[in-house]
Amino acid sequence: MKLCQTVAELAAALAEVDQAGKTVGFIPTMGALHDGHLSLLRRAQQDGHFTVVSVFVNPLQFGEQDDFDNYPRTIGVDARLLTDAGADVLFAPSAAEIYPAGKQLREPSPGDLGEKFEGTYRPGHFAGMLKVVSRLFDLVNPDAAYFGDKDAQQAALVQQMVRQQIAAGEREPLKIVVCPTLREPSGLALSSRNRRLSEQELAVARQIYPALQAGAALAPDVAAVVSAARAAMPSEARLDYLELVDPLSFEKLDHIPEHGARLIVAAWVGKVRLIDNLLIGG
Ligand code: PAF
């Protein structure tokens, strides 16, 4: 695996790939890698791509409460995991490489979709996320990019941004591949934030997904789904939201459409904010 820390090093590595006529599969991450990230890499490898993984903790997508400073940074371990998993390039740039002083970068708008749920609770988060993803896409110019379904609203926003940029002639065709959430046997979705949970908090977090399942069992009665899932949530978890929404628009639903519905949740367990979702029908 080649480690690139600058835009110039990345461009040199990608020029060789281009000459060899290979396609590029890209996995953007903020590091603290776990098997969920590695499953995205495995999928890109199965799809036959030369693989580029980025590790960049993007300051623009953290709010005051979000704790940018405490976000886990484990670049040495990440590099070892990626080498063992057979990644081709690790792009681990500094903030100055991503946001060079004086360079005007695109600022994709999250639009209405970005106002809902995560957008309400984390103002500015999606604008910062789209800015860095767009910048990384410009630098890597991938044929396909891989995202996890746990961050379903993020994946929907990236898809919306790419559709708009392609339609405006600002970007080459690029496939966004959304991969299933990886879970521990308890059902807890793998997340870099889990490592900040104490044993007691982990026990609480492990009750979140079963609560979603308890709600989903009552489909298609939308009111029953939502109230049963809320009732089954552990009392120690502080809910930001738990709703049944359209999987594309994230509008709240009063019935389950043919393309299915997503039961989405964001909850604080201690000082850690966790999100998860479960697709019903579709
Ligand atoms: O999901 C993440 O880890 C981040 O939001 C992403 C897509 C790497 C952008 O910083």
Side-chain angles (χ1 to χ4, degrees):
M1 184 185 71
K2 189 172 270 182
L3 170 64
C4 300
Q5 290 179 297
T6 65
V7 168
E9 286 167 2
L10 177 71
L14 290 172
E16 283 175 31
V17 178
D18 204 30
Q19 269 188 344
K22 292 185 197 157
T23 54
V24 174
F26 177 46
I27 301 101
T29 83
M30 297 205 297
L33 301 181
H34 51 69
D35 205 39
H37 297 110
L38 298 180
S39 74
L40 304 182
L41 172 62
R42 284 193 290 273
R43 174 64 197 278
Q45 290 167 328
Q46 279 158 15
D47 290 348
H49 297 300
F50 180 92
T51 52
V52 178
V53 180
S54 64
V55 169
F56 178 65
V57 186
N58 175 30
L60 298 192
Q61 67 187 78
F62 287 80
E64 271 166 36
Q65 277 197 317
D66 277 343
D67 233 357
F68 169 72
D69 292 334
N70 286 332
Y71 197 84
R73 287 165 175 82
T74 57
I75 189 69
V77 179
D78 292 347
R80 265 200 305 284
L81 283 173
L82 292 172
T83 304
D84 292 349
D88 294 304
V89 166
L90 164 57
F91 180 43
S94 64
E97 288 287 319
I98 293 294
Y99 301 121
K103 186 170 171 74
Q104 192 65 39
L105 296 175
R106 288 193 253 197
E107 310 231 345
S109 164
D112 287 349
L113 177 56
E115 298 290 315
K116 306 186 175 103
F117 299 104
E118 287 302 284
T120 309
Y121 286 91
R122 303 180 69 188
H125 166 69
F126 282 139
M129 180 279 293
L130 288 179
K131 183 166 177 173
V132 81
V133 170
S134 180
R135 168 77 169 143
L136 289 166
F137 284 175
D138 289 346
L139 296 173
V140 177
N141 195 22
D143 296 277
Y146 295 79
F147 291 82
D149 197 40
K150 181 174 79 66
D151 297 299
Q153 200 178 353
Q154 164 171 282
L157 277 157
V158 171
Q159 281 169 316
Q160 168 183 279
M161 174 190 80
V162 167
R163 259 195 323 270
Q164 288 168 350
Q165 291 179 338
I166 292 174
E170 296 167 4
R171 185 171 300 292
E172 300 283 308
L174 156 59
K175 188 172 170 194
I176 302 301
V177 184
V178 184
C179 302
T181 304
L182 252 67
R183 300 182 181 281
E184 48 166 69
S186 69
L188 177 64
L190 299 193
S191 164
S192 306
R193 291 168 194 257
N194 293 353
R195 62 185 77 191
R196 292 177 50 207
L197 296 167
S198 68
E199 275 306 311
Q200 250 178 344
E201 289 167 343
L202 261 177
V204 174
R206 287 184 172 129
Q207 296 170 56
I208 292 177
Y209 188 63
L212 295 185
Q213 289 176 307
L218 300 179
D221 181 341
V222 166
V225 166
V226 174
S227 60
R230 286 188 187 153
M233 276 291 151
S235 56
E236 301 89 336
R238 275 185 302 115
L239 278 190
D240 274 351
Y241 57 76
L242 192 166
E243 295 291 351
L244 193 72
V245 300
D246 183 282
L248 305 173
S249 66
F250 283 74
E251 293 287 352
K252 279 193 214 173
L253 292 173
D254 54 15
H255 70 287
I256 298 188
E258 234 170 71
H259 59 273
R262 226 180 250 283
L263 191 55
I264 57 171
V265 65
W268 288 90
V269 178
K271 289 191 169 142
V272 181
R273 186 172 183 277
L274 299 172
I275 60 170
D276 201 354
N277 71 82
L278 192 162
L279 202 55
I280 301 175

Short mmCIF file of all heavy atoms in Angstrom, two decimals, residues 28-30 37 54 56 58 61 71 125 129 132-133 136 147 151 154, ligand 1:
data_model
loop_
_atom_site.label_atom_id
_atom_site.label_comp_id
_atom_site.label_asym_id
_atom_site.label_seq_id
_atom_site.Cartn_x
_atom_site.Cartn_y
_atom_site.Cartn_z
N PRO A 28 -14.01 7.20 1.38
CA PRO A 28 -13.63 8.31 2.26
C PRO A 28 -13.95 7.95 3.71
O PRO A 28 -15.03 7.43 4.00
CB PRO A 28 -14.53 9.46 1.78
CG PRO A 28 -15.68 8.82 1.10
CD PRO A 28 -15.28 7.44 0.70
N THR A 29 -13.01 8.22 4.62
CA THR A 29 -13.26 7.93 6.04
C THR A 29 -12.64 9.04 6.89
O THR A 29 -11.85 9.84 6.40
CB THR A 29 -12.63 6.59 6.52
OG1 THR A 29 -11.24 6.81 6.83
CG2 THR A 29 -12.75 5.50 5.49
N MET A 30 -12.99 9.01 8.18
CA MET A 30 -12.32 9.89 9.14
C MET A 30 -11.42 9.05 10.05
O MET A 30 -11.06 9.48 11.14
CB MET A 30 -13.34 10.69 9.95
CG MET A 30 -14.16 11.61 9.05
SD MET A 30 -14.84 13.05 9.88
CE MET A 30 -15.91 12.27 11.06
N HIS A 37 -15.77 -0.09 7.92
CA HIS A 37 -14.97 0.55 6.86
C HIS A 37 -14.34 -0.50 5.96
O HIS A 37 -14.32 -0.37 4.74
CB HIS A 37 -13.84 1.40 7.47
CG HIS A 37 -14.31 2.54 8.32
ND1 HIS A 37 -14.15 2.57 9.68
CD2 HIS A 37 -14.92 3.70 7.98
CE1 HIS A 37 -14.64 3.70 10.16
NE2 HIS A 37 -15.12 4.41 9.16
N SER A 54 -9.30 7.32 2.04
CA SER A 54 -8.79 8.55 2.67
C SER A 54 -9.10 8.52 4.16
O SER A 54 -10.12 7.98 4.59
CB SER A 54 -9.40 9.80 2.02
OG SER A 54 -10.79 9.83 2.24
N PHE A 56 -9.24 11.47 6.91
CA PHE A 56 -9.14 12.91 7.16
C PHE A 56 -10.26 13.29 8.11
O PHE A 56 -11.45 13.13 7.77
CB PHE A 56 -9.24 13.70 5.85
CG PHE A 56 -9.20 15.20 6.06
CD1 PHE A 56 -8.05 15.81 6.55
CD2 PHE A 56 -10.31 15.99 5.78
CE1 PHE A 56 -8.01 17.19 6.77
CE2 PHE A 56 -10.28 17.37 5.99
CZ PHE A 56 -9.12 17.96 6.48
N ASN A 58 -12.41 15.81 9.28
CA ASN A 58 -12.79 17.07 8.63
C ASN A 58 -13.31 18.08 9.65
O ASN A 58 -14.44 17.94 10.13
CB ASN A 58 -13.87 16.75 7.59
CG ASN A 58 -14.43 17.98 6.94
OD1 ASN A 58 -13.74 18.99 6.79
ND2 ASN A 58 -15.70 17.91 6.53
N GLN A 61 -17.08 19.61 9.57
CA GLN A 61 -18.35 18.93 9.83
C GLN A 61 -18.61 18.68 11.31
O GLN A 61 -19.52 17.94 11.67
CB GLN A 61 -18.44 17.64 9.01
CG GLN A 61 -17.48 16.53 9.39
CD GLN A 61 -17.56 15.38 8.39
OE1 GLN A 61 -17.03 15.45 7.30
NE2 GLN A 61 -18.24 14.31 8.77
N TYR A 71 -12.28 13.38 18.75
CA TYR A 71 -12.57 12.33 17.77
C TYR A 71 -11.36 11.39 17.72
O TYR A 71 -10.22 11.85 17.64
CB TYR A 71 -12.84 12.93 16.38
CG TYR A 71 -13.54 11.93 15.49
CD1 TYR A 71 -14.91 11.79 15.55
CD2 TYR A 71 -12.81 11.10 14.64
CE1 TYR A 71 -15.56 10.83 14.77
CE2 TYR A 71 -13.45 10.15 13.86
CZ TYR A 71 -14.82 10.02 13.93
OH TYR A 71 -15.46 9.08 13.17
N HIS A 125 -23.25 20.66 9.77
CA HIS A 125 -22.57 19.37 9.58
C HIS A 125 -22.59 18.92 8.13
O HIS A 125 -21.56 18.56 7.55
CB HIS A 125 -23.22 18.31 10.48
CG HIS A 125 -22.83 16.91 10.14
ND1 HIS A 125 -21.56 16.42 10.36
CD2 HIS A 125 -23.54 15.89 9.57
CE1 HIS A 125 -21.50 15.16 9.94
NE2 HIS A 125 -22.68 14.82 9.46
N MET A 129 -19.65 18.35 5.47
CA MET A 129 -19.42 16.99 4.95
C MET A 129 -19.40 17.03 3.42
O MET A 129 -18.50 16.46 2.77
CB MET A 129 -20.52 16.07 5.49
CG MET A 129 -20.46 14.63 5.06
SD MET A 129 -21.14 14.29 3.42
CE MET A 129 -22.90 14.63 3.65
N VAL A 132 -16.16 18.59 1.95
CA VAL A 132 -14.96 17.75 1.94
C VAL A 132 -15.12 16.59 0.97
O VAL A 132 -14.16 16.22 0.28
CB VAL A 132 -14.56 17.28 3.36
CG1 VAL A 132 -15.36 16.06 3.83
CG2 VAL A 132 -13.09 16.93 3.39
N VAL A 133 -16.31 16.02 0.89
CA VAL A 133 -16.51 14.88 -0.03
C VAL A 133 -16.33 15.35 -1.48
O VAL A 133 -15.67 14.70 -2.28
CB VAL A 133 -17.89 14.22 0.20
CG1 VAL A 133 -18.21 13.21 -0.90
CG2 VAL A 133 -17.92 13.52 1.56
N LEU A 136 -12.65 15.85 -2.04
CA LEU A 136 -11.96 14.55 -2.16
C LEU A 136 -12.29 13.91 -3.51
O LEU A 136 -11.41 13.34 -4.17
CB LEU A 136 -12.35 13.63 -1.00
CG LEU A 136 -11.78 14.03 0.37
CD1 LEU A 136 -12.50 13.28 1.50
CD2 LEU A 136 -10.28 13.77 0.45
N PHE A 147 -20.07 4.15 0.58
CA PHE A 147 -20.55 4.74 1.83
C PHE A 147 -21.37 3.69 2.58
O PHE A 147 -21.94 2.78 1.97
CB PHE A 147 -21.43 5.96 1.54
CG PHE A 147 -20.66 7.13 0.98
CD1 PHE A 147 -20.34 7.19 -0.37
CD2 PHE A 147 -20.21 8.14 1.81
CE1 PHE A 147 -19.60 8.25 -0.88
CE2 PHE A 147 -19.46 9.20 1.30
CZ PHE A 147 -19.16 9.25 -0.04
N ASP A 151 -25.11 5.71 7.95
CA ASP A 151 -25.25 7.16 7.76
C ASP A 151 -26.13 7.40 6.54
O ASP A 151 -25.69 7.94 5.52
CB ASP A 151 -23.87 7.79 7.58
CG ASP A 151 -23.00 7.60 8.81
OD1 ASP A 151 -23.40 8.07 9.88
OD2 ASP A 151 -21.96 6.92 8.72
N GLN A 154 -26.58 10.96 5.16
CA GLN A 154 -25.33 11.38 4.51
C GLN A 154 -25.24 10.77 3.10
O GLN A 154 -24.93 11.47 2.12
CB GLN A 154 -24.13 10.94 5.35
CG GLN A 154 -22.80 10.97 4.59
CD GLN A 154 -21.61 10.73 5.49
OE1 GLN A 154 -21.18 11.62 6.21
NE2 GLN A 154 -21.05 9.53 5.48
O1 PAF B 1 -18.80 9.32 7.21
C1 PAF B 1 -17.69 9.87 7.43
O2 PAF B 1 -16.79 9.28 8.01
C2 PAF B 1 -17.48 11.29 6.97
O3 PAF B 1 -18.64 12.03 7.04
C3 PAF B 1 -16.87 11.40 5.55
C4 PAF B 1 -17.82 10.85 4.50
C5 PAF B 1 -15.55 10.64 5.50
C6 PAF B 1 -16.60 12.87 5.22
O4 PAF B 1 -15.71 13.44 6.13
#
